[in-house]
Amino acid sequence: NAGVTQTPKFQVLKTGQSMTLQCAQDMNHNSMYWYRQDPGMGLRLIYYSASEGTTDKGEVPNGYNVSRLNKREFSLRLESAAPSQTSVYFCASSEFLRNTGELFFGEGSRLTVL
Amino acid sequence: DAKTTQPNSMESNEEEPVHLPCNHSTISGTDYIHWYRQLPSQGPEYVIHGLTSNVNNRMASLAIAEDRKSSTLILHRATLRDAAVYYCILRARREDMRFGAGTRLTVKP
């Protein structure tokens, strides 16, 4: 059982370049999330999707766009990368039930913007 | 949004119990208390959650104060593999999984 799969695992970009991080889950979860984690810090929510066809902003959405392509896939796009977006990005999914429902995380995508 | 406060770091000896505290004095009645941990170079993983009553599972126990303003994650016998950052989170809404800096647990052999 793969769980949550993120690609790519590593990426180096130059300032101004664009890229898309892909995330797929095979647990039939309705909710999906994108977080970023800067060195020595906790995770910060970028965007989330409560169900297929819906997306909402989290704590730090500026500079990012997302697409919930179908129930399985939730992608994160950087249109014009900046050095401040150097971080580790985590995708997660969950089945939200009355404030419960554990989050399952991918292994992370390490992005460096030069 | 309700916030949590955790110590930055804690140390434990292998095979001894560990009590990781979390303060959440502004918790509301519908907030669930969740704990996650993050092993080095991995994504966070779920540990346990609760609302009012103490909870046990194969990984840990969660003790919740009667007024719900604090909680404690208990690892009954710490192993080297339990060295991680532990996050205490209050969850009221679907998107409300906001991770603070957590507590970095070091386990000494």
Side-chain angles (χ1 to χ4, degrees), chain A residues 30-31 33 35 37 40-43 45 48-50 58-59 90 94 96 98-103 105-107, chain B residues 30-32 34 36 38 41-46 49 87 91-102 104:
Chain A
N30 283 317
S31 300
Y33 309 78
Y35 290 87
Q37 185 173 35
M41 310 262 302
L43 283 74
L45 182 63
Y48 70 99
S49 171
E59 301 170 84
F90 290 99
S94 80
F96 182 78
R98 296 190 306 279
N99 302 354
T100 62
E102 63 180 278
L103 263 64
F105 283 83
E107 294 184 349
Chain B
T30 55
D31 288 343
Y32 275 73
H34 287 246
Y36 282 72
Q38 187 173 20
S41 301
Q42 294 189 25
E45 63 176 351
Y46 168 82
H49 76 272
Y87 299 98
R91 190 175 198 188
R93 300 182 301 277
R94 187 187 309 269
E95 72 280 12
D96 211 3
M97 290 295 288
R98 303 196 178 196
F99 292 71
R104 183 173 298 277

Side-chain angles (χ1 to χ4, degrees), chain B residues 3 15 17 22 24 26 28 31 34 41-44 48 55 59 69 74 79-80 82 84 91 96 107:
Chain B
K3 296 286 190 285
E15 298 190 2
C22 181
H24 29 79
T26 59
S28 70
D31 288 343
H34 287 246
S41 301
Q42 294 189 25
I48 201 167
V55 184
M59 289 182 69
K69 293 184 185 301
I74 302 165
T79 69
L80 296 178
D82 291 322
R91 190 175 198 188
D96 211 3
V107 180

Side-chain angles (χ1 to χ4, degrees), chain B residues 3-60:
Chain B
K3 296 286 190 285
T4 62
T5 303
Q6 300 177 252
N8 290 334
S9 62
M10 292 184 65
E11 281 190 356
S12 171
N13 294 318
E14 196 175 12
E15 298 190 2
E16 290 185 355
V18 182
H19 290 234
L20 297 164
C22 181
N23 288 322
H24 29 79
S25 58
T26 59
I27 191 171
S28 70
T30 55
D31 288 343
Y32 275 73
I33 302 160
H34 287 246
W35 284 82
Y36 282 72
R37 73 179 186 181
Q38 187 173 20
L39 302 173
S41 301
Q42 294 189 25
E45 63 176 351
Y46 168 82
V47 178
I48 201 167
H49 76 272
L51 182 61
T52 56
S53 304
N54 294 345
V55 184
N56 300 297
N57 66 21
R58 64 175 179 81
M59 289 182 69

Side-chain angles (χ1 to χ4, degrees), chain A residues 14-97:
Chain A
K14 294 181 180 178
T15 297
Q17 286 185 319
S18 62
M19 76 157 299
T20 299
L21 299 176
Q22 307 285 356
C23 176
Q25 52 93 8
D26 62 3
M27 295 171 282
N28 203 35
H29 287 161
N30 283 317
S31 300
M32 297 187 73
Y33 309 78
W34 275 107
Y35 290 87
R36 62 176 286 176
Q37 185 173 35
D38 299 332
M41 310 262 302
L43 283 74
R44 290 184 293 170
L45 182 63
I46 306 172
Y47 271 93
Y48 70 99
S49 171
S51 61
E52 185 179 352
T54 68
T55 61
D56 285 285
K57 296 178 180 179
E59 301 170 84
V60 288
N62 290 345
Y64 304 95
N65 287 303
V66 290
S67 295
R68 183 73 182 269
L69 305 170
N70 47 55
K71 193 171 187 179
R72 289 188 65 247
E73 298 172 291
F74 189 37
S75 62
L76 178 72
R77 182 161 179 83
L78 287 70
E79 290 291 352
S80 179
S84 60
Q85 294 179 303
T86 294
S87 191
V88 180
Y89 291 84
F90 290 99
C91 176
S93 72
S94 80
E95 196 56 59
F96 182 78
L97 297 169

